[in-house]
Amino acid sequence: MRARYQVSSTKKLLLYAPTYRNNNEIALDIDLLRQEHQHQALLLIKLHPRVAQGNLIEDDFVKIVPVSDDIRTYYPAADLIISDYSSIPFEVSLLAKVPQMLFYCYDQQEYDSLQGLQPSWKKMLPGKIVTTTAQVSRAIAIPETFDFQSYNQRWNQYTVGEAVSKLSTYLAS
């Protein structure tokens, strides 16, 4: 991905992948992030397939990931993944090198009332929850690490990479 987007190894590769919302809103203040991080990072935005690109414009700081690209191919290259209520943490936690994760949940009450969230969802997340772009910016500047081992023990204890083999054996018997 770094070669594809011509990102040097000294720059952070940020992947923003918000969950679908009915209003097609991108609440992240991209101008603020550009002002504070354009020389140290590249922001890749992977919109939900049902969300229009709207007024997002690519430049030296922002690149729009094509809808046809599989987001999972971006995880290993990312230094920071910014999402919200999606299933991304479950997928990312299976990687050998897990990038930093940040959860930009600016609309938690509204999202919960419209879509619904599990009561204990905050306790499940493998990263910090933030509600403003300023908090996102601080997290980019001062990264925090998260221990994915306990997360994996809870969510992936049966994921050992042998599902197809076990299914084949079961079906053959």
Side-chain angles (χ1 to χ4, degrees), residues 146-164:
F146 184 84
D147 176 18
F148 273 90
Q149 186 174 6
S150 59
Y151 183 81
N152 273 327
Q153 286 174 346
R154 179 173 182 180
W155 293 105
N156 299 314
Q157 63 181 320
Y158 302 110
T159 306
V160 293
E162 299 173 357
V164 172

Side-chain angles (χ1 to χ4, degrees), residues 112-126:
D112 190 22
S113 68
L114 293 173
Q115 305 293 332
L117 293 167
Q118 290 186 4
S120 61
W121 72 275
K122 287 182 181 181
K123 295 176 187 171
M124 295 183 214
L125 297 179

Side-chain angles (χ1 to χ4, degrees), residues 60-78:
D60 290 340
F61 177 67
V62 175
K63 301 294 180 198
I64 310 302
V65 175
V67 173
S68 60
D69 283 9
D70 184 344
I71 190 171
R72 294 173 296 181
T73 63
Y74 287 77
Y75 298 156

Side-chain angles (χ1 to χ4, degrees), residues 102-133:
L102 188 64
F103 298 89
Y104 179 49
C105 302
Y106 63 91
D107 62 347
Q108 175 191 333
Q109 290 180 349
E110 179 183 352
Y111 191 88
D112 190 22
S113 68
L114 293 173
Q115 305 293 332
L117 293 167
Q118 290 186 4
S120 61
W121 72 275
K122 287 182 181 181
K123 295 176 187 171
M124 295 183 214
L125 297 179
K128 185 176 185 175
I129 299 172
V130 297
T131 57
T132 68
T133 302

